[in-house]
Amino acid sequence: MTTSVDLGDVGEKLAELSRIMLDQAALRGTEEASSGNTGMPLRVVHLRDVQEINEAIDAVLEDAKEEILTAQPDGPRPGPVLEDALESVRGRITGGVRMRTLYQHTARFDEPTKEYVRRVAEYGAEVRTLEEFFDRLIIIDKRIAFIAENDERTAAVAVEEPAVVRFLCDVFERSWVRAEPFPFVPVAATEAAREVIPAIRESIRRMLIEGHSDKHIARRLGISERSLQAHVASMKKQLKAHNRLHLGYLLGRNEAEYVL
């Protein structure tokens, strides 16, 4: 028997859990200081801006010895960001550290991302894609994890609590098993579409039925709202829906079978 888990809000829930843990750690520290028992390591650290986040990640990457796990949602990333990412991990993966990365399916249509994947794959890194998954995540040596703390990802939390890191590793592994290998060799857009659009539209179908806004759906899938509207228009045409409300009714009756 398998259990289906919606991972879309995992990052937010873990950030909230981390805030609670930090408050508890601060309380324990106060209690221990008053009793003369100090030295309890702080296992959760808040990183307040992008520079602080990058510096913390780079510092931990320098000591990476076994494996780097990363999940990068929101579709394609800017070319300069990919170049910086490559430089930050090149030394570790060429030195024998395993690296696995998850992107969303929409990243397959982006030329800078395909070039980045081709280059890291040459060093031995593995890249796969999913239609959607949890928030941004970096785990290093199954020892420390970095998760976003807000929607803008301008703040983050570094977690060293073993139970939380183990949970995050399990979330990553479950998604990795479901993901598809990234075709880092040159692939025509039409071929990429044929491979991933059915899964993307299935996610759209589910979130439309759940009543999510276009903005929320687009963000979860890593696409623009305009692209989402194009998908919805195609689905309406296929199902002969008269309007958005009629489409929701047809989808809710589970009568949809999508074709490209």
Side-chain angles (χ1 to χ4, degrees), residues 44-193:
V44 180
V45 177
H46 288 265
L47 305 168
R48 299 300 184 183
D49 57 52
V50 174
Q51 180 178 348
E52 190 174 356
I53 294 169
N54 291 337
E55 289 175 352
I57 292 173
D58 288 343
V60 179
L61 282 174
E62 283 294 320
D63 294 327
K65 295 178 174 59
E66 297 178 6
E67 185 173 42
I68 302 166
L69 306 176
T70 69
Q72 303 290 352
D74 293 346
R77 303 167 72 198
V81 173
L82 293 172
E83 285 294 328
D84 290 343
L86 178 62
E87 288 304 313
S88 67
V89 300
R90 187 202 309 269
R92 306 319 303 161
I93 56 180
T94 56
V97 175
R98 187 185 184 192
M99 179 175 172
R100 289 184 285 159
T101 295
L102 280 170
Y103 284 113
Q104 288 177 282
H105 282 334
T106 48
R108 293 178 177 232
F109 303 98
D110 181 64
E111 291 302 324
T113 302
K114 288 195 286 186
E115 174 61 19
Y116 167 80
V117 173
R118 184 188 65 77
R119 293 170 67 184
V120 295
E122 289 176 350
Y123 298 132
E126 301 170 70
V127 181
R128 296 184 182 182
T129 66
L130 277 171
E131 68 275 13
E132 62 165 327
F133 50 89
F134 44 87
D135 209 339
R136 184 160 295 163
L137 171 67
I138 297 174
I139 305 174
I140 300 169
D141 288 346
K142 297 183 179 179
R143 178 179 61 84
I144 182 167
F146 295 88
I147 58 175
E149 191 176 12
N150 56 15
D151 288 341
E152 297 76 23
R153 302 193 181 98
T154 56
V157 178
V159 184
E160 289 187 88
E161 179 62 39
V164 176
V165 175
R166 184 170 60 250
F167 170 81
L168 287 167
C169 288
D170 183 65
V171 170
F172 183 95
E173 293 294 350
R174 291 170 185 266
S175 296
W176 183 260
V177 170
R178 294 187 296 115
E180 297 292 336
F182 194 112
F184 56 87
V185 295
V187 174
T190 53
E191 184 176 342

